[in-house]
Structures are given as structure tokens and as C-alpha cells.
């Protein structure tokens, strides 16, 4: 939710920042609506004061059958009706204003490159050498099907398309990667490991910005109005919804592995088979809540965490600064990590790390208090994938494949694999 006070004080800058996203907003309309809402509030207050005054007056009249009592009683009744209408008008104006504000994306950080499509994204770092193969590398799906480690027929039978069944050592590698990532996050980078619900209330999705605009990408259950999470960013960030955090507790850092659920409504025809774009996928997430002055430093901390994981796995990657037209709804500045996938002959995204500044904390009514000076403010929130497990599986399978079709397991993962050193035919 945007701060209407900021919009009133900076209407041109507000519109200019959103225009970089190709989002055109009439700040005057928002300001006029807010002023009209304030006028309605004043009317409510005036009516309430008059009603209270007359109510006191009528209660002081001893003769309930007098003309004065009858006259004032009618005035009170009329005022009461007008008051209720005015309250309803005020609430409707507030509802409309909040709805409009809730559908406006976050403002762009000055560091975010200008541009409207991914062609305008900027490579800021590249690390690791692409492996040179003496044979034509296969993509992960062909390799896994040849090794009998993935079963789409069973997945379709039980759930339909865009699901998969991982088997044997591939399933074990999935679990090993999850544990490896969590260990790095907690033991090296001081994130607190959490196990969280994978169904959340609607207000949680509103708080992080998935609702109201992106409901078609989500799965809603028929139980208690709960939604399946698209990422554990949602429950982790909402830990402190409608709370006041002690400034001494900042930064707060959380990590969790969860299954994530996305309808992929805008991805028709893209990556329909394989692990790249499924309705259900595993992901390790990072979330930070920090002082506004420290959020850029905190983002660097998050990026270093993701970079260490990819470096330890010996995967060639690059870091991409997303342009204004390509970053997410709630983000002000985003850096993606893309890993080289030789079977696809391209880099593919495996992580996205974003500084949302105070955009989410305002929507969640999460505040911080300095108890020494009484100052209260909205903290900055950050989130990042660390990492999308299925996509890292793809990267390992394609980068560490052998000519005979087996797949070497990165050395750093071996201790999590009970001695298994390569993926081979499952019989």
C-alpha cells in the first residue's frame, strides 16, 4: 500500500517512477479521492457532535410529553440517519481509495535500470566456466527418462500435467539439495530455519502483494478460505503482520523449505514437460526484515548467500539486474541469478532476490519501534530464492552429465547422499 501523504507531497515523482514500469497512474485522482474521504470524515464528526449535544439536551427534559422534547427527539432521529449515511459514504470512499492503491505496484529504486522488457536487463556479474563437452549434451528430461528416475505417466494419472514423480536417487538428490541449502543459510548466513504452513489466509497474500491483482496465478482451497502458497515468502514475511517489532531485534532473517503452488496462468505452452515450470515445486526461501537504512546492505547479504550456494555447487551463473519493466509487483529493486543449462543451451533463472522497501510492511501494518526515543516506522522487507530446488536439479543434471548418460553428483552434496556419487539407471 502506498503512502497517500507521500503521493500528495510528491505527485510528479510518484507518477514518474511508475511510468518507468509502463504503469500510468493519475495521482490527482487519488489525491482528490482522499480529500473527499477526509471531508466525509469531518462530516461524520460534525454530525456525531451535534447528535451527542442534542441527545444530552433531550435527556435533560423532564416532561417527555412536551413539544420541545418531541421536536428535539425528531432532530436526533434525523441526525442519526444522516450520520449513518455519512459513515457509509466515508467507508465507501476509503474502500475505493484502498482498492486503487492496492493495485498500484511498488515504486522503482534509483538503482533499477530503465527499460520495459527483459532485453533491457543488465548483467552485473558472471562467474564460472561453461563445461566443454566432447559430445552433444542432452536436456534434463531426456537424461532422467533414460535413467528411469522421473515418471510423468504416474504424475498425469494422479494429478494431470505440469506435475512430476521423482524416483530413487533423484528424489534423494532433491532432499539432499534442500538440506544443503538450509545448512548454508542457517550455519553461514544466520537465517533462522522455520517450518511453516503451506496454506495461508487471504490477508497474507494481500500483505505480500500477490492479491488482489494476481489471483489467477494462485490456487484457492475450499477450506476456510485458505490459499496454497506460491512461495514461502508469504508466510515468512507475514510472521509480523499487524505487529510492532523492537528495533533491537533487527534484522530478522528467516529461511524455510516449502512446496510452492502456482497456476502458471501466463505460461501457456512454455516448458510444459520437465522440472522447469510446474504447478508444484520445492523451494528454499530467504526473508529479511530490516531497518530502512540497512536494506541495501541486507540485500548484499542475501545475494552473497545465494552466490555461495551456486559457487559451492560449481555451477556457472550470472547475476542480472532487472529493469523497471521486468521486476515484480512488490519489488523496488531485483537481482536474478541465472545458471547455464547446457542441455537447453541457455541461462535460466534459478533465484530472484528483491528489496521491497516498505511496500509490504505498509500493506501488512508491520512497524518497528525504537523504545528509547519512541520513534515508530515501517521496516523494509526483502525476499529471495535460495534456491528453486527443481531448477538446481536441472542445472546439476545438465552440467554434470556423462556421455553414457549418467550424472555426477557435486562433491559438496556427497555427504548428504549416503555414498551415492552419481545418478545412473534405476532398475
Amino acid at each position: 500500500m502506498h503512502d497517500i501523504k507521500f503521493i500528495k507531497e510528491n505527485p510528479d515523482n510518484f507518477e514518474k517512477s511508475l511510468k518507468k514500469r509502463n504503469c500510468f497512474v493519475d495521482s490527482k485522482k487519488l489525491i482528490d479521492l482522499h480529500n473527499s474521504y477526509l471531508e466525509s470524515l469531518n462530516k461524520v464528526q460534525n454530525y456525531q457532535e451535534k447528535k451527542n449535544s442534542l441527545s444530552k439536551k433531550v435527556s435533560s427534559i423532564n416532561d417527555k410529553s412536551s413539544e420541545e422534547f418531541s421536536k428535539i427527539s425528531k432532530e436526533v432521529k434525523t441526525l442519526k440517519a444522516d450520520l449513518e449515511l455519512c459513515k457509509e459514504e466515508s467507508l465507501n470512499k476509503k474502500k475505493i481509495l484502498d482498492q486503487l492503491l492496492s493495485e498500484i505496484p511498488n515504486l522503482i529504486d534509483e538503482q533499477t535500470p530503465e527499460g520495459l522488457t527483459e532485453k533491457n536487463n543488465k548483467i552485473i556479474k558472471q562467474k564460472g566456466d561453461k563445461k566443454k563437452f566432447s559430445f552433444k549434451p542432452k536436456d534434463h528430461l531426456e537424461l532422467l527418462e533414460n535413467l528411469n528416475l522421473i515418471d510423468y505417466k504416474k504424475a498425469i494419472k494422479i494429478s494431470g500435467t505440469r506435475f512430476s514423480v521423482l524416483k530413487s536417487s533423484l528424489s534423494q538428490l532433491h532432499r539432499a539439495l534442500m538440506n544443503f541449502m538450509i545448512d548454508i543459510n542457517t550455519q553461514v548466513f544466520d537465517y533462522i530455519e522455520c517450518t511453516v504452513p503451506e496454506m495461508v489466509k487471504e490477508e497474507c497474500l494481500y500483505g505480500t502483494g500477490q492479491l488482489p491483482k494476481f489471483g489467477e496465478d494462485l490456487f484457492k482451497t475450499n477450506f476456510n478460505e485458505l490459499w496454497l502458497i506460491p512461495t514461502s515468502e508469504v508466510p515468512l514475511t507475514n510472521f509480523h503482520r499487524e505487529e510492532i517489532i523492537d528495533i533491537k531485534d533487527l534484522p530478522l532473517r528467516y529461511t524455510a523449505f516449502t512446496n510452492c503452488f502456482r497456476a502458471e496462468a501466463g505460461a501457456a505452452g512454455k516448458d510444459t514437460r520437465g522440472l522447469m515450470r510446474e504447478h508444484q515445486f520445492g523451494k528454499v526461501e530467504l526473508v529479511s526484515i530490516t531497518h530502512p537504512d540497512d536494506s541495501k546492505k541486507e540485500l548484499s547479504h542475501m545475494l552473497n548467500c545465494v552466490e555461495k550456494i551456486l559457487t559451492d555447487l560449481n555451477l556457472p551463473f550470472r547475476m542480472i539486474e532487472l529493469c523497471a519493466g521486468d521486476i515484480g509487483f512488490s519489488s523496488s529493486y531485483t537481482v536474478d541469478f541465472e545458471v547455464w543449462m547446457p542441455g537447453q543451451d541457455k541461462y535460466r533463472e534459478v533465484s530472484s532476490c528483491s528489496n521491497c522497501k516498505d511496500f509490504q510492511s505498509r500493506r501488512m501494518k508491520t512497524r518497528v519501534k525504537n523504545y528509547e526515543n519512541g520513534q515508530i516506522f515501517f521496516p523494509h522487507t526483502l525476499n529471495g530464492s535460495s534456491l528453486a530446488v527443481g531448477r538446481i536439479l536441472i542445472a546439476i543434471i545438465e552440467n554434470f552429465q556423462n556421455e553414457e548418460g549418467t550424472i555426477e553428483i557435486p562433491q559438496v552434496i556427497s555427504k548428504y547422499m549416503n555414498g551415492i556419487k552419481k545418478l545412473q539407471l534405476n532398475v
Side-chain angles (χ1 to χ4, degrees):
M1 182 70 72
H2 289 284
D3 181 6
I4 190 65
K5 181 181 177 182
F6 174 85
I7 298 173
K8 285 184 169 182
E9 293 174 351
N10 306 274
D12 293 338
N13 289 339
F14 181 74
E15 290 185 10
K16 184 179 178 181
S17 181
L18 292 169
K19 189 177 179 181
K20 290 180 181 179
R21 284 180 172 267
N22 204 30
C23 177
F24 300 93
V25 174
D26 185 353
S27 57
K28 185 178 183 302
K29 179 181 177 181
L30 298 172
I31 292 168
D32 288 345
L33 184 56
H34 185 254
N35 288 337
S36 179
Y37 162 67
L38 293 179
E39 289 175 6
S40 297
L41 281 184
N42 287 332
K43 285 183 181 179
V44 168
Q45 185 176 352
N46 290 335
Y47 278 130
Q48 187 68 57
E49 288 174 355
K50 289 179 182 178
K51 177 179 171 293
N52 292 343
S53 177
L54 286 174
S55 295
K56 287 181 181 179
K57 190 173 182 180
V58 77
S59 63
S60 66
I61 299 174
N62 295 324
D63 186 358
K64 309 302 181 186
S65 61
S66 67
E67 184 177 338
E68 182 184 14
F69 179 85
S70 177
K71 180 182 177 182
I72 296 176
S73 295
K74 287 179 181 179
E75 288 182 28
V76 170
K77 190 175 182 181
T78 301
L79 272 173
K80 186 177 180 180
D82 291 341
L83 175 60
E84 292 306 313
L85 286 173
C86 198
K87 281 182 179 178
E88 185 177 350
E89 179 187 10
S90 177
L91 288 172
N92 285 337
K93 287 179 179 179
K94 183 67 164 60
K95 185 177 180 180
I96 294 169
L97 178 62
D98 287 347
Q99 181 69 25
L100 290 173
L101 291 173
S102 71
E103 294 179 354
I104 299 172
N106 200 357
L107 300 182
I108 298 299
D109 186 88
E110 292 179 359
Q111 193 176 351
T112 298
E114 292 195 26
L116 297 179
T117 70
E118 61 182 18
K119 294 179 181 179
N120 304 115
N121 293 342
K122 181 181 176 183
I123 299 173
I124 57 175
K125 187 173 186 177
Q126 193 156 325
K127 188 174 181 180
D129 298 322
K130 299 176 186 176
K131 183 178 178 180
K132 294 180 180 179
F133 293 89
S134 60
F135 57 92
K136 184 180 180 180
K138 298 179 175 66
D139 69 31
H140 75 284
L141 183 56
E142 183 179 356
L143 287 162
L144 293 177
E145 287 185 327
N146 289 342
L147 294 175
N148 190 30
L149 292 174
I150 197 165
D151 195 325
Y152 279 105
K153 289 183 179 179
K154 283 185 173 60
I156 289 171
K157 180 167 67 174
I158 61 178
S159 300
T161 58
R162 290 193 189 270
F163 292 92
S164 60
V165 172
L166 311 186
K167 298 192 296 184
S168 188
S169 54
L170 179 63
S171 180
Q172 190 172 346
L173 178 57
H174 184 282
R175 174 162 48 90
L177 283 169
M178 174 190 74
N179 289 331
F180 165 67
M181 294 170 187
I182 289 288
D183 283 351
I184 293 290
N185 297 345
T186 56
Q187 296 172 17
V188 182
F189 289 90
D190 299 321
Y191 289 89
I192 298 171
E193 182 181 359
C194 304
T195 300
V196 298
E198 294 179 1
M199 291 191 290
V200 294
K201 298 176 180 178
E202 186 170 296
E203 51 263 41
C204 293
L205 290 158
Y206 174 87
T208 45
Q210 283 81 12
L211 292 178
K213 288 200 74 172
F214 306 103
E216 66 175 7
D217 291 326
L218 308 173
F219 289 107
K220 186 176 183 180
T221 76
N222 60 1
F223 176 74
N224 286 353
E225 300 293 313
L226 295 176
W227 299 66
L228 296 175
I229 60 169
T231 164
S232 55
E233 168 203 346
V234 179
L236 291 174
T237 311
N238 274 276
F239 275 179
H240 300 281
R241 178 166 50 88
E242 298 177 354
E243 287 184 7
I244 295 179
I245 302 165
D246 190 329
I247 193 172
K248 294 178 181 178
D249 294 332
L250 298 180
L252 293 165
R253 295 173 179 151
Y254 302 115
T255 186
F257 170 83
T258 62
N259 288 303
C260 305
F261 304 88
R262 297 183 187 178
E264 295 290 354
K270 297 179 183 178
D271 302 306
T272 53
R273 296 185 75 239
L275 301 174
M276 199 69 203
R277 200 182 296 271
E278 297 192 294
H279 290 313
Q280 175 185 316
F281 59 95
K283 183 157 69 82
V284 177
E285 188 75 4
L286 302 172
V287 162
S288 295
I289 301 175
T290 187
H291 192 287
D293 293 343
D294 298 330
S295 64
K296 287 190 176 182
K297 182 175 69 175
E298 187 65 23
L299 180 61
S300 294
H301 181 84
M302 188 175 285
L303 296 176
N304 289 338
C305 181
V306 178
E307 183 173 349
K308 176 171 175 55
I309 291 172
L310 294 174
T311 301
D312 286 359
L313 289 171
N314 198 24
L315 292 170
F317 68 90
R318 64 187 187 184
M319 296 168 65
I320 310 291
E321 204 173 46
L322 298 195
C323 71
D326 199 32
I327 67 172
F329 179 84
S330 296
S331 176
S332 183
Y333 176 74
T334 295
V335 174
D336 277 4
F337 286 80
E338 296 179 347
V339 169
W340 176 248
M341 310 281 194
Q344 302 171 53
D345 195 32
K346 63 175 71 172
Y347 282 94
R348 301 299 299 264
E349 178 201 334
V350 296
S351 173
S352 190
C353 298
S354 298
N355 186 351
C356 299
K357 297 191 174 180
D358 64 357
F359 184 78
Q360 292 179 327
S361 61
R362 287 182 179 277
R363 294 171 76 98
M364 295 185 299
K365 298 181 176 63
T366 299
R367 292 168 293 167
V368 171
K369 184 171 183 178
N370 184 332
Y371 284 91
E372 291 182 0
N373 61 20
Q375 180 190 21
I376 297 178
F377 57 90
F378 291 101
H380 284 189
T381 63
L382 303 93
N383 64 80
S385 316
S386 169
L387 293 144
V389 182
R391 295 192 176 193
I392 295 300
L393 276 178
I394 297 172
I396 290 173
I397 290 160
E398 295 191 5
N399 279 281
F400 292 95
Q401 62 180 290
N402 298 315
E403 189 169 5
E404 72 272 18
T406 60
I407 296 115
E408 303 291 332
I409 291 171
Q411 186 175 358
V412 73
I413 299 296
S414 61
K415 70 176 183 179
Y416 297 91
M417 291 291 291
N418 296 325
I420 298 174
K421 295 184 177 180
K422 66 171 61 176
L423 302 182
Q424 47 197 350
L425 182 64
N426 176 41
V427 292

